[in-house]
C-alpha cells in the first residue's frame, strides 16, 4: 500500500497498543507521538489488555509510574517495582503456545530485560516492535521535538502545518473536542478512523475486544496485517 504523505496521524503513546491504534497507520509513513501532552493515569498510556487463561477474560497489564500532576508524558518515570518481570511472566504464560511466539520471543524478551527509567521510551520501543511485526514502515516522531503551539485543535493544526499535511486523521473520541470550523478555515480535511475486530486464531476467540495488537501478531504472524486491514475503516467527514 502506498504511503499517504498528506495525512497527519497524531496520537498519545500507548503501552502494547491495541489493533485500532495501528490500523490508522496502514497507509501513512509517520506517526507523531504526542509525548508533550499531559499524562493521564489509568489509561492506555501505561496499561493494556492481553489474553487471559482458558475460560477467563482479558488480563490487564499496568506499568507502575511515579508522576507529578500535570506532568507531560515524556517526563513520567517508572516506579521502582519489579513490574517487567511480572509482565514477562504473564506474557509467557499466555502466549508461549501461540503459533508465532518463537519468532518474536527473543526481541520481546530483550525489551522486557531493559532497565527502563521512563515511560515514553518503553512505549516507543514496544510500538516499534509491533510496527515491524505487522510490516508497517512508519516513523515515530515525538511531538516534544516539534514543540507545537497551542492545545487541542490549535496544536493539531500546527502539527499539520509543520508536517505538510492537509488531512487530519483521528479516532471517534476526538470529535468531542475538535473545532471543525477551525479546521475548515485552515483548509485541513478530517478523516475519522474506526476499527472492528475481525475473528482470528485457530480457536476464533480473537473477538475479545480491546486486546493488545500483540495478541493478533502472535496468533497470525505474517497474516496479521491483512486482518488489521479487514477491520480498519476510514471515513472522510464533511466539516461543518
Amino acid at each position: 500500500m502506498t504511503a499517504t504523505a498528506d495525512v497527519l496521524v497524531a496520537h498519545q503513546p500507548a503501552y502494547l497498543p491495541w489493533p485500532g491504534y495501528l490500523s490508522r497507520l496502514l497507509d501513512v509513513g509517520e506517526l507523531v507521538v504526542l509525548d508533550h501532552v499531559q499524562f493521564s493515569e489509568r489509561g492506555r498510556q501505561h496499561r493494556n489488555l492481553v489474553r487471559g487463561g482458558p475460560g477467563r477474560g482479558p488480563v490487564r497489564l499496568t506499568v507502575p509510574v511515579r508522576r507529578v500532576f500535570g506532568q507531560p508524558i515524556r517526563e513520567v518515570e517508572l516506579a521502582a517495582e519489579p513490574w517487567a518481570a511480572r509482565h514477562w511472566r504473564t506474557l509467557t504464560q499466555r502466549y508461549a503456545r501461540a503459533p508465532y511466539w518463537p519468532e518474536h520471543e527473543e526481541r520481546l524478551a530483550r525489551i522486557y530485560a531493559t532497565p527502563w527509567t521512563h515511560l515514553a521510551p518503553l512505549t516507543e520501543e514496544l510500538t516499534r516492535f509491533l510496527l515491524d511485526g505487522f510490516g508497517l514502515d512508519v516513523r515515530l516522531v515525538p511531538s516534544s521535538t516539534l514543540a507545537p503551539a497551542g492545545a487541542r485543535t490549535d496544536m493539531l493544526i500546527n502539527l499539520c502545518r509543520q508536517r505538510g499535511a492537509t488531512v487530519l486523521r483521528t479516532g471517534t473520541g476526538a470529535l468531542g473536542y475538535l473545532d471543525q470550523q477551525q479546521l475548515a478555515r485552515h483548509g485541513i480535511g478530517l478523516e475519522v478512523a474506526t476499527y472492528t475486530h475481525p475473528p482470528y486464531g485457530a480457536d476464533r476467540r480473537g473477538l475479545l475486544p480491546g486486546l493488545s495488537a500483540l495478541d493478533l501478531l502472535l496468533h497470525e504472524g505474517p497474516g496479521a496485517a491483512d486482518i488489521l486491514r479487514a477491520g480498519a475503516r476510514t471515513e472522510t467527514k464533511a466539516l461543518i
Side-chain angles (χ1 to χ4, degrees), residues 103-208:
E103 182 176 334
H104 299 287
E105 179 183 7
E106 182 178 352
R107 183 175 175 185
L108 200 56
R110 288 200 303 269
I111 294 173
Y112 279 92
T114 300
W116 303 100
T117 60
H118 287 73
L119 179 64
L122 166 65
T123 58
E124 178 178 336
E125 189 64 22
L126 284 169
T127 300
R128 288 186 188 279
F129 164 79
L130 289 171
L131 289 170
D132 290 346
F134 279 83
L136 301 180
D137 184 14
V138 178
R139 296 182 304 277
L140 300 180
V141 180
S143 62
S144 57
T145 66
L146 304 174
R152 295 184 179 246
T153 304
D154 287 333
M155 180 262 290
L156 293 170
I157 290 173
N158 188 278
L159 286 173
C160 284
R161 292 288 180 258
Q162 289 197 48
R163 309 315 289 173
T166 57
V167 176
L168 172 65
R169 180 178 295 169
T170 72
T172 55
L175 297 178
Y177 67 80
L178 278 175
D179 186 333
Q180 297 181 36
Q181 292 183 346
Q182 191 173 355
L183 290 174
R185 286 196 298 269
H186 285 82
I188 297 173
L190 179 62
E191 290 183 352
V192 179
T194 57
Y195 184 78
T196 302
H197 295 270
Y200 64 86
D203 57 7
R204 315 305 287 175
R205 289 196 301 153
L207 286 175
L208 291 172

